[in-house]
Amino acid sequence: MTRNLLFLCLVALTGCTSSPAKPADKAQEGGIKVGAPAKKTLRRVVEQPATVEAFEETALVARIPGEVEKVHVNLGDPVKPGQTLVELKVPELLKELDQKKALVEHARAEATQAAASFKVAEASVLTAQAHVRDAEANYERWKSECKRVEALVAGKVVDQQIRDETIYQCKAAEAKVESAKALKAESEARREKAKADMATAEARIKVMVAEEGRLDALAGYRKIVAPYPGVIT
């Protein structure tokens, strides 16, 4: 009886001395991960239905009538400023622009010709002025000769025939002066006409260039471009 009691006491003592299981060990045995506590920022994300609208929206329209020839973008495409979006087909406008360009070139050619004519007329005036000076100098010489011959005739140094010939030469020289002056006046008139033609040609160029610029600006509207960076909607 004593042995049995002693055995039971030892058994009871042995059971009391075993270490108890830790909670973390029990949690890991149950498939739960554990770790040391740490400070973290928690974020909550809430999803709600919404509509995204552009900060600025611009409706692009063509400034001139025409058929759509090319479309370079699609819905949702990002675009840059100045990028061509749509091209219009305007054959009549482009044809008229080509005609105006041809007229401008023709007007410039006329202006060049008018300037050349003015230079020729100016040279003719200078030549006519020189002829007038030469004719006047020759006339003055014959007038002096007439006076000298008159004195010689009065002194009976030369006969009347020499006097008549001298007077004839003097009158011929005077006629040449008048003819040279007439040619000078005619040359000056041609110069003034050439100058007026040159001014008219220059004015015509300005008108043609302005008309060409207007049509060129209209032709530029055949391309619809993006005014600022954005997305096609």
Side-chain angles (χ1 to χ4, degrees), residues 31-156:
I32 300 175
K33 295 181 179 181
V34 297
K39 184 178 180 180
K40 294 184 179 180
T41 301
L42 298 180
R43 295 182 179 180
R44 291 186 177 183
V45 179
V46 179
E47 296 183 359
Q48 296 290 340
T51 301
V52 178
E53 296 183 356
F55 178 77
E56 184 177 0
E57 186 174 345
T58 302
L60 302 178
V61 296
R63 298 187 181 184
I64 56 175
E67 299 178 1
V68 175
E69 184 176 17
K70 293 181 181 179
V71 178
H72 298 278
V73 292
N74 294 316
L75 292 176
D77 288 350
V79 295
K80 299 178 181 180
Q83 180 178 343
T84 301
L85 308 179
V86 179
E87 290 187 38
L88 300 180
K89 186 178 181 180
V90 285
E92 295 83 3
L93 179 59
L94 295 179
K95 183 177 180 180
E96 187 177 0
L97 176 60
D98 291 338
Q99 291 176 349
K100 293 300 180 182
K101 288 181 178 180
L103 290 175
V104 167
E105 293 301 322
H106 181 68
R108 285 175 176 166
E110 288 183 342
T112 301
Q113 184 177 0
S117 298
F118 176 75
K119 290 182 179 179
V120 172
E122 183 70 19
S124 297
V125 169
L126 296 176
T127 302
Q129 290 174 347
H131 289 167
V132 169
R133 289 192 297 267
D134 292 342
E136 288 176 343
N138 187 51
Y139 176 56
E140 292 297 328
R141 184 178 68 83
W142 280 109
K143 283 200 307 182
S144 299
E145 185 66 14
C146 282
K147 291 180 180 180
R148 188 183 71 82
V149 170
E150 286 288 349
L152 293 175
V153 170
K156 297 181 181 182

